[in-house]
Amino acid sequence: MTEYKIEIPEGINIQDLFGNYDSNVRAVEKLTGTEMTLRDGALILKGKDPDLAMRIVGRLINALSLEPGMDPQRLNYIIEMEANGKEFDEKAASRDIICYTHTGRPLRPKTQAQKDYVDNIRNTDMVFGIGPAGTGKTYLACAMAINAYKNKEIERIILTRPAVEAGERLGFLPGDMQEKVDPYLRPLYDALYDVLGIDAAAKLREKGVIEVVPLAYMRGRTLDNAFIILDEAQNTTREQMKMFLTRMGFNSKVVVTGDITQIDLPSGTVSGLKEARKVLTGVEGIRFNYFTEVDVVRHELVKRIIKAYESYDTANRVRTNTSKGNKVSSR
């Protein structure tokens, strides 16, 4: 059996490349059917698909030369992109520091879809980010909004989402207005706190620089010099979506995020996000970014759960269509 050899460049941490208990190497071996061993500072490969294994290892080495450390998300993304023949300009992504968190951690795009999303937010006034949970849609939008404020590009940040669980009838809930809406806006607070820190975010809210409000309270406003984020947009009605999009004023940016596979609206109600995608695709000045389970940056199980549900839904659609076809043909 032919052996292939990859020289490991100086400066590459072997532990980062191999992973704890050689977990990184084992993942590549499992996918490619290739056996890999370390010999005299080089990686020796032999087996079923050494070419793919060499390409993946080459990407891993290149990634580690740009930024040390190889967490499971980064590893799996690199493997999936190479296995599917897709490109990811990690060099450009590694240089693209959106901002620093309050702990000093740099925020960068972690996938090609995230990089495209961030670039579109920079260069376009209205951007839609559509995809499953855990792909960074809301988090990156909040980071971009905070960066825009720090750079004095806008004067205020407005975050909103539909309180669909309460049917927007917040008056029936106990407490003052803030106490009524806070549970529905908590994910937006989490993103702000992670980037700014709790104290800094609270001060900006007190000054009115940051507003976190339910979608129902956006009606009638014109929002100039603002960065406006609509989260969970799949749960807007068509009327709410149109109302929100037309709040945009001069020198403002709008980012709309949502997951069209998790619509909580009553049966028969048209999702404003699904309709907006049909109506606005191709309109000048608007960009749509789509994320998939490959872009999930949470625990690996999240990606597997999303894939499992997609497979289940696809199988159900096939069974439903087949059933309908049989009924028609039997008449």
Side-chain angles (χ1 to χ4, degrees), residues 314-331:
T314 299
N316 270 351
R317 283 195 294 270
V318 170
R319 284 195 292 269
T320 300
N321 291 337
T322 302
S323 176
K324 287 180 179 178
N326 290 338
K327 288 180 180 178
V328 171
S329 62
S330 64
R331 288 178 180 175

PDB file of all heavy atoms in Angstrom, residues 314-331:
ATOM      1  N   THR A 314     -38.208  15.794   5.425  1.00  0.00           N
ATOM      2  CA  THR A 314     -38.128  15.424   4.013  1.00  0.00           C
ATOM      3  C   THR A 314     -38.835  14.101   3.760  1.00  0.00           C
ATOM      4  O   THR A 314     -39.604  13.959   2.805  1.00  0.00           O
ATOM      5  CB  THR A 314     -36.663  15.319   3.570  1.00  0.00           C
ATOM      6  OG1 THR A 314     -36.022  16.587   3.737  1.00  0.00           O
ATOM      7  CG2 THR A 314     -36.564  14.910   2.108  1.00  0.00           C
ATOM      8  N   ALA A 315     -38.595  13.127   4.640  1.00  0.00           N
ATOM      9  CA  ALA A 315     -39.240  11.821   4.503  1.00  0.00           C
ATOM     10  C   ALA A 315     -40.753  11.953   4.629  1.00  0.00           C
ATOM     11  O   ALA A 315     -41.507  11.309   3.892  1.00  0.00           O
ATOM     12  CB  ALA A 315     -38.698  10.857   5.553  1.00  0.00           C
ATOM     13  N   ASN A 316     -41.224  12.802   5.550  1.00  0.00           N
ATOM     14  CA  ASN A 316     -42.665  13.004   5.721  1.00  0.00           C
ATOM     15  C   ASN A 316     -43.290  13.639   4.492  1.00  0.00           C
ATOM     16  O   ASN A 316     -44.403  13.279   4.087  1.00  0.00           O
ATOM     17  CB  ASN A 316     -42.925  13.884   6.946  1.00  0.00           C
ATOM     18  CG  ASN A 316     -43.089  13.069   8.209  1.00  0.00           C
ATOM     19  OD1 ASN A 316     -43.174  11.855   8.158  1.00  0.00           O
ATOM     20  ND2 ASN A 316     -43.126  13.736   9.349  1.00  0.00           N
ATOM     21  N   ARG A 317     -42.563  14.618   3.902  1.00  0.00           N
ATOM     22  CA  ARG A 317     -43.092  15.258   2.683  1.00  0.00           C
ATOM     23  C   ARG A 317     -43.213  14.253   1.551  1.00  0.00           C
ATOM     24  O   ARG A 317     -44.185  14.256   0.796  1.00  0.00           O
ATOM     25  CB  ARG A 317     -42.193  16.426   2.278  1.00  0.00           C
ATOM     26  CG  ARG A 317     -42.389  17.685   3.109  1.00  0.00           C
ATOM     27  CD  ARG A 317     -41.759  18.891   2.440  1.00  0.00           C
ATOM     28  NE  ARG A 317     -40.312  18.763   2.378  1.00  0.00           N
ATOM     29  CZ  ARG A 317     -39.494  19.193   3.326  1.00  0.00           C
ATOM     30  NH1 ARG A 317     -39.986  19.763   4.418  1.00  0.00           N
ATOM     31  NH2 ARG A 317     -38.180  19.065   3.201  1.00  0.00           N
ATOM     32  N   VAL A 318     -42.214  13.388   1.433  1.00  0.00           N
ATOM     33  CA  VAL A 318     -42.248  12.378   0.375  1.00  0.00           C
ATOM     34  C   VAL A 318     -43.427  11.435   0.580  1.00  0.00           C
ATOM     35  O   VAL A 318     -44.166  11.119  -0.350  1.00  0.00           O
ATOM     36  CB  VAL A 318     -40.918  11.583   0.347  1.00  0.00           C
ATOM     37  CG1 VAL A 318     -41.047  10.379  -0.584  1.00  0.00           C
ATOM     38  CG2 VAL A 318     -39.779  12.487  -0.109  1.00  0.00           C
ATOM     39  N   ARG A 319     -43.624  10.979   1.854  1.00  0.00           N
ATOM     40  CA  ARG A 319     -44.747  10.081   2.147  1.00  0.00           C
ATOM     41  C   ARG A 319     -46.080  10.755   1.879  1.00  0.00           C
ATOM     42  O   ARG A 319     -47.000  10.158   1.335  1.00  0.00           O
ATOM     43  CB  ARG A 319     -44.670   9.611   3.600  1.00  0.00           C
ATOM     44  CG  ARG A 319     -43.615   8.539   3.848  1.00  0.00           C
ATOM     45  CD  ARG A 319     -43.834   7.859   5.194  1.00  0.00           C
ATOM     46  NE  ARG A 319     -43.586   8.768   6.297  1.00  0.00           N
ATOM     47  CZ  ARG A 319     -42.409   8.912   6.894  1.00  0.00           C
ATOM     48  NH1 ARG A 319     -41.368   8.211   6.473  1.00  0.00           N
ATOM     49  NH2 ARG A 319     -42.259   9.738   7.912  1.00  0.00           N
ATOM     50  N   THR A 320     -46.174  12.049   2.266  1.00  0.00           N
ATOM     51  CA  THR A 320     -47.428  12.792   2.063  1.00  0.00           C
ATOM     52  C   THR A 320     -47.734  12.942   0.580  1.00  0.00           C
ATOM     53  O   THR A 320     -48.860  12.715   0.127  1.00  0.00           O
ATOM     54  CB  THR A 320     -47.340  14.179   2.722  1.00  0.00           C
ATOM     55  OG1 THR A 320     -47.104  14.023   4.126  1.00  0.00           O
ATOM     56  CG2 THR A 320     -48.620  14.961   2.508  1.00  0.00           C
ATOM     57  N   ASN A 321     -46.729  13.325  -0.203  1.00  0.00           N
ATOM     58  CA  ASN A 321     -46.924  13.504  -1.646  1.00  0.00           C
ATOM     59  C   ASN A 321     -47.261  12.186  -2.331  1.00  0.00           C
ATOM     60  O   ASN A 321     -48.100  12.123  -3.233  1.00  0.00           O
ATOM     61  CB  ASN A 321     -45.668  14.111  -2.271  1.00  0.00           C
ATOM     62  CG  ASN A 321     -45.447  15.551  -1.838  1.00  0.00           C
ATOM     63  OD1 ASN A 321     -46.387  16.232  -1.435  1.00  0.00           O
ATOM     64  ND2 ASN A 321     -44.216  16.015  -1.911  1.00  0.00           N
ATOM     65  N   THR A 322     -46.596  11.104  -1.887  1.00  0.00           N
ATOM     66  CA  THR A 322     -46.886   9.792  -2.456  1.00  0.00           C
ATOM     67  C   THR A 322     -48.310   9.363  -2.152  1.00  0.00           C
ATOM     68  O   THR A 322     -49.024   8.850  -2.993  1.00  0.00           O
ATOM     69  CB  THR A 322     -45.908   8.741  -1.887  1.00  0.00           C
ATOM     70  OG1 THR A 322     -44.573   9.141  -2.185  1.00  0.00           O
ATOM     71  CG2 THR A 322     -46.177   7.379  -2.490  1.00  0.00           C
ATOM     72  N   SER A 323     -48.719   9.634  -0.906  1.00  0.00           N
ATOM     73  CA  SER A 323     -50.092   9.299  -0.502  1.00  0.00           C
ATOM     74  C   SER A 323     -51.113  10.052  -1.321  1.00  0.00           C
ATOM     75  O   SER A 323     -52.104   9.496  -1.783  1.00  0.00           O
ATOM     76  CB  SER A 323     -50.263   9.589   0.984  1.00  0.00           C
ATOM     77  OG  SER A 323     -51.592   9.365   1.400  1.00  0.00           O
ATOM     78  N   LYS A 324     -50.843  11.352  -1.530  1.00  0.00           N
ATOM     79  CA  LYS A 324     -51.774  12.172  -2.319  1.00  0.00           C
ATOM     80  C   LYS A 324     -51.843  11.655  -3.757  1.00  0.00           C
ATOM     81  O   LYS A 324     -52.896  11.599  -4.372  1.00  0.00           O
ATOM     82  CB  LYS A 324     -51.331  13.641  -2.295  1.00  0.00           C
ATOM     83  CG  LYS A 324     -51.570  14.334  -0.955  1.00  0.00           C
ATOM     84  CD  LYS A 324     -51.104  15.776  -1.032  1.00  0.00           C
ATOM     85  CE  LYS A 324     -51.365  16.497   0.302  1.00  0.00           C
ATOM     86  NZ  LYS A 324     -50.886  17.895   0.272  1.00  0.00           N
ATOM     87  N   GLY A 325     -50.669  11.289  -4.281  1.00  0.00           N
ATOM     88  CA  GLY A 325     -50.623  10.782  -5.647  1.00  0.00           C
ATOM     89  C   GLY A 325     -51.396   9.501  -5.813  1.00  0.00           C
ATOM     90  O   GLY A 325     -52.122   9.296  -6.808  1.00  0.00           O
ATOM     91  N   ASN A 326     -51.309   8.614  -4.817  1.00  0.00           N
ATOM     92  CA  ASN A 326     -52.050   7.352  -4.878  1.00  0.00           C
ATOM     93  C   ASN A 326     -53.551   7.578  -4.828  1.00  0.00           C
ATOM     94  O   ASN A 326     -54.311   6.912  -5.522  1.00  0.00           O
ATOM     95  CB  ASN A 326     -51.625   6.452  -3.712  1.00  0.00           C
ATOM     96  CG  ASN A 326     -50.212   5.929  -3.874  1.00  0.00           C
ATOM     97  OD1 ASN A 326     -49.698   5.896  -5.000  1.00  0.00           O
ATOM     98  ND2 ASN A 326     -49.591   5.514  -2.776  1.00  0.00           N
ATOM     99  N   LYS A 327     -53.965   8.563  -4.002  1.00  0.00           N
ATOM    100  CA  LYS A 327     -55.398   8.856  -3.899  1.00  0.00           C
ATOM    101  C   LYS A 327     -55.935   9.378  -5.233  1.00  0.00           C
ATOM    102  O   LYS A 327     -57.009   9.017  -5.669  1.00  0.00           O
ATOM    103  CB  LYS A 327     -55.650   9.886  -2.810  1.00  0.00           C
ATOM    104  CG  LYS A 327     -55.468   9.326  -1.400  1.00  0.00           C
ATOM    105  CD  LYS A 327     -55.722  10.410  -0.346  1.00  0.00           C
ATOM    106  CE  LYS A 327     -55.545   9.843   1.054  1.00  0.00           C
ATOM    107  NZ  LYS A 327     -55.741  10.899   2.093  1.00  0.00           N
ATOM    108  N   VAL A 328     -55.146  10.258  -5.876  1.00  0.00           N
ATOM    109  CA  VAL A 328     -55.592  10.820  -7.149  1.00  0.00           C
ATOM    110  C   VAL A 328     -55.692   9.733  -8.212  1.00  0.00           C
ATOM    111  O   VAL A 328     -56.650   9.632  -8.972  1.00  0.00           O
ATOM    112  CB  VAL A 328     -54.612  11.933  -7.614  1.00  0.00           C
ATOM    113  CG1 VAL A 328     -54.932  12.369  -9.028  1.00  0.00           C
ATOM    114  CG2 VAL A 328     -54.713  13.128  -6.673  1.00  0.00           C
ATOM    115  N   SER A 329     -54.664   8.852  -8.270  1.00  0.00           N
ATOM    116  CA  SER A 329     -54.625   7.848  -9.313  1.00  0.00           C
ATOM    117  C   SER A 329     -55.709   6.775  -9.166  1.00  0.00           C
ATOM    118  O   SER A 329     -56.064   6.089 -10.094  1.00  0.00           O
ATOM    119  CB  SER A 329     -53.259   7.166  -9.336  1.00  0.00           C
ATOM    120  OG  SER A 329     -53.019   6.498  -8.102  1.00  0.00           O
ATOM    121  N   SER A 330     -56.244   6.651  -7.933  1.00  0.00           N
ATOM    122  CA  SER A 330     -57.232   5.606  -7.698  1.00  0.00           C
ATOM    123  C   SER A 330     -58.648   6.044  -8.034  1.00  0.00           C
ATOM    124  O   SER A 330     -59.569   5.247  -7.965  1.00  0.00           O
ATOM    125  CB  SER A 330     -57.187   5.158  -6.215  1.00  0.00           C
ATOM    126  OG  SER A 330     -57.556   6.241  -5.366  1.00  0.00           O
ATOM    127  N   ARG A 331     -58.798   7.287  -8.368  1.00  0.00           N
ATOM    128  CA  ARG A 331     -60.160   7.779  -8.653  1.00  0.00           C
ATOM    129  C   ARG A 331     -60.555   7.429 -10.079  1.00  0.00           C
ATOM    130  O   ARG A 331     -59.732   7.394 -10.983  1.00  0.00           O
ATOM    131  CB  ARG A 331     -60.217   9.311  -8.455  1.00  0.00           C
ATOM    132  CG  ARG A 331     -60.158   9.710  -7.014  1.00  0.00           C
ATOM    133  CD  ARG A 331     -60.167  11.229  -6.846  1.00  0.00           C
ATOM    134  NE  ARG A 331     -60.101  11.602  -5.454  1.00  0.00           N
ATOM    135  CZ  ARG A 331     -60.005  12.873  -5.024  1.00  0.00           C
ATOM    136  NH1 ARG A 331     -59.981  13.857  -5.875  1.00  0.00           N
ATOM    137  NH2 ARG A 331     -59.956  13.111  -3.729  1.00  0.00           N
TER     138      ARG A 331
END
